Amino acid sequence: MTYNEVVKIADAYLLPLASELYGLEGYEHKLVKAHDGGRNVVYNCEKEGAEAKILRIAFLNDRSREDFLAEVEYIRYLFEHGGSVSDVVSSRKGNLLEEISHHNHTFFICLFEKARGKRFVDNHYRYREGVPIAEYYFNCGKVLGKLHQISKGYNPVHRRYRFFDKYNAEYIDKRIPGSFSLLKEKLVELLKTLEGLDRNRESFGMVHFDYNDGNYSIDFDTGQITVYDFDNSCYCWYMFDLASLWTNGVGWIQFEPDAGKRKKFMDDYFQTALEGYRSETRIEDSMLEKLPLFIQVNLMEGIVDAFEVMRNNGEEPECDEELSYRIKCLEDDIPYMGFFHEIYSCEEPFEYEKRDI
């Protein structure tokens, strides 16, 4: 079932039922434009005099009811313990998750409070007037640190999958085309390295697994960040999210031709974000030293996800310039996304020549 087919079914059948389930009578439903790889049909629900809501309809058959329950249970736990997240709204039946069946297909429905503010891209990457951008870097780390601190005490009823449940040699072999034999070899080596890492409560727990400025909104009056899109949340090392936080910073300096200046900026940026993070939770220096390793793991996740999206969309696999760049960094053991390496071009950031499959 394709995204466009689901939109048609939603307009004709699912939205009226969802409105009844959640008391959304009188709300106007506007379809939110899907991003590449989006796995849900999402609506912005607005009504004069009421708080806006976000309605999410999941239609792919790669996740179970247990997966969705575990996700919304985690979000509710974060919210109730002071995490800056968009809370899940219970249905009139008191459920965090509702199921609607139509023509032998099950759709999983969730409703969320809409986060205050807007995404950075929607504000044209302008921060709060008269406020240094360092406040934003600090807040990115602080909000993430709070989520991780809450996760350290989390004992769920419904449990999300663990990193190795998904990322293993068999899964890699299925998702990566056969012509990328060196890449497969490097990814399996990476997984073996990760298997040797400590998984104690201070270093390993529930993480967002997609922490970036497309998945939170900023209240530009106060600087407050509200996180959402926990679709990919799983049990993993907290360092994975911290490596995502590092990669978020490259956009601010990606057009700088001088690698030394890029390095200086990234060191200062990450130090500020880390101060925010450590204001909420602990992270051992021994784990922080593994930042280059977890940047590679972020690259792995991005590569695997790209091929998975093509598969979900029924497309033939292809390797564009951006995907080719990520693959090259892993195949040649180039650290820090190649950001300080000769492979990097500030004129064509994070691109490398296309590869045939």
Side-chain angles (χ1 to χ4, degrees):
M1 187 172 288
T2 67
Y3 178 89
N4 289 334
E5 287 171 341
V6 177
V7 171
K8 286 181 183 174
I9 294 168
D11 288 344
Y13 182 76
L14 301 177
L15 283 177
L17 286 177
S19 292
E20 195 176 316
L21 281 166
Y22 287 99
L24 295 175
E25 295 88 352
Y27 278 77
E28 184 182 358
H29 305 296
K30 287 184 181 173
L31 186 65
V32 176
K33 186 181 175 187
H35 60 80
D36 286 345
R39 56 191 313 109
N40 308 299
V41 173
V42 178
Y43 291 89
N44 190 20
C45 308
E46 294 185 342
K47 179 181 175 181
E48 196 172 335
E51 293 288 330
K53 305 285 191 288
I54 297 291
L55 183 71
R56 187 184 81 183
I57 301 171
F59 63 92
L60 294 177
N61 61 4
D62 61 343
R63 299 194 180 185
S64 67
R65 181 173 181 272
E66 183 81 8
D67 288 330
F68 288 110
L69 281 172
E71 178 198 347
V72 292
E73 180 189 323
Y74 177 53
I75 295 168
R76 174 57 61 85
Y77 182 87
L78 290 172
F79 181 80
E80 288 180 341
H81 289 78
S84 190
V85 300
S86 292
D87 192 21
V88 197
V89 179
S90 298
S91 71
R92 281 172 163 166
K93 296 178 182 178
N95 299 325
L96 297 180
L97 177 73
E98 290 288 351
E99 297 171 51
I100 299 176
S101 292
H102 180 67
H103 290 175
N104 297 320
H105 191 96
T106 300
F107 299 91
F108 291 97
I109 317 289
C110 300
L111 188 70
F112 302 91
E113 299 287 357
K114 186 176 182 183
R116 289 184 182 278
K118 56 175 76 170
R119 295 182 309 160
F120 227 137
V121 64
D122 299 325
N123 206 48
H124 309 292
Y125 286 98
R126 292 193 306 266
Y127 194 54
R128 308 203 299 135
E129 197 171 334
V131 178
I133 191 71
E135 177 193 86
Y136 166 67
Y137 304 157
F138 183 90
N139 285 347
C140 284
K142 185 177 179 66
V143 167
L144 182 62
K146 179 74 170 179
L147 298 186
H148 287 178
Q149 180 59 30
I150 296 167
S151 288
K152 289 172 184 179
Y154 182 51
N155 290 302
V157 175
H158 301 93
R159 187 173 290 274
R160 291 284 285 182
Y161 61 88
R162 294 168 79 86
F163 177 84
F164 289 114
D165 292 341
K166 178 173 180 178
Y167 295 94
N168 51 58
E170 183 184 357
Y171 180 77
I172 295 293
D173 195 48
K174 278 184 184 173
R175 292 294 176 268
I176 307 294
S179 56
F180 292 101
S181 55
L182 177 58
L183 174 64
K184 289 187 182 188
E185 191 181 303
K186 291 290 183 180
L187 293 182
V188 170
E189 280 178 20
L190 188 56
L191 291 172
K192 282 180 180 169
T193 301
L194 291 172
E195 282 170 3
L197 296 186
D198 201 347
R199 286 176 234 175
N200 62 46
R201 191 170 275 253
E202 284 296 315
S203 63
F204 191 94
M206 275 291 284
V207 302
H208 187 280
F209 210 72
D210 196 14
Y211 190 72
N212 65 72
D213 63 27
N215 287 336
Y216 51 71
S217 288
I218 304 163
D219 183 334
F220 288 98
D221 291 330
T222 64
Q224 180 61 45
I225 292 170
T226 304
V227 187
Y228 40 80
D229 281 1
F230 284 81
D231 287 46
N232 295 321
S233 57
C234 65
Y235 283 88
C236 186
W237 289 271
Y238 296 121
M239 274 306 301
F240 182 91
D241 279 355
L242 277 166
S244 299
L245 185 59
W246 186 93
T247 62
N248 290 348
V250 299
W252 297 105
I253 195 74
Q254 64 181 347
F255 299 115
E256 168 57 55
D258 188 321
K261 289 180 181 175
R262 293 198 300 271
K263 175 78 165 63
K264 172 73 166 65
F265 173 87
M266 290 305 296
D267 287 348
D268 292 346
Y269 157 80
F270 194 62
Q271 187 58 42
T272 303
L274 205 51
E275 284 170 14
Y277 184 84
R278 281 179 150 161
S279 72
E280 293 290 347
T281 195
R282 290 174 61 238
I283 183 80
E284 298 289 344
D285 287 341
S286 58
M287 287 305 296
L288 277 175
E289 288 165 7
K290 294 180 172 57
L291 176 63
L293 171 68
F294 280 96
I295 292 172
Q296 298 293 75
V297 182
N298 267 252
L299 282 176
M300 176 185 76
E301 187 276 331
I303 291 166
V304 173
D305 183 66
F307 284 119
E308 193 165 82
V309 167
M310 292 176 219
R311 180 175 172 271
N312 287 339
N313 293 342
E315 300 166 358
E316 285 297 313
E318 62 174 355
C319 188
D320 64 13
E321 289 88 352
E322 288 183 17
L323 184 53
S324 179
Y325 181 92
R326 293 179 199 166
I327 290 171
K328 182 72 173 169
C329 286
L330 278 173
E331 285 183 338
D332 289 7
D333 300 316
I334 303 171
Y336 295 103
M337 291 172 59
F339 201 43
F340 317 125
H341 187 273
E342 60 187 20
I343 188 179
Y344 183 78
S345 164
C346 63
E347 290 160 4
E348 296 177 324
F350 306 106
E351 291 188 7
Y352 194 71
E353 62 194 50
K354 278 185 179 181
R355 296 262 294 262
D356 292 328
I357 296 180

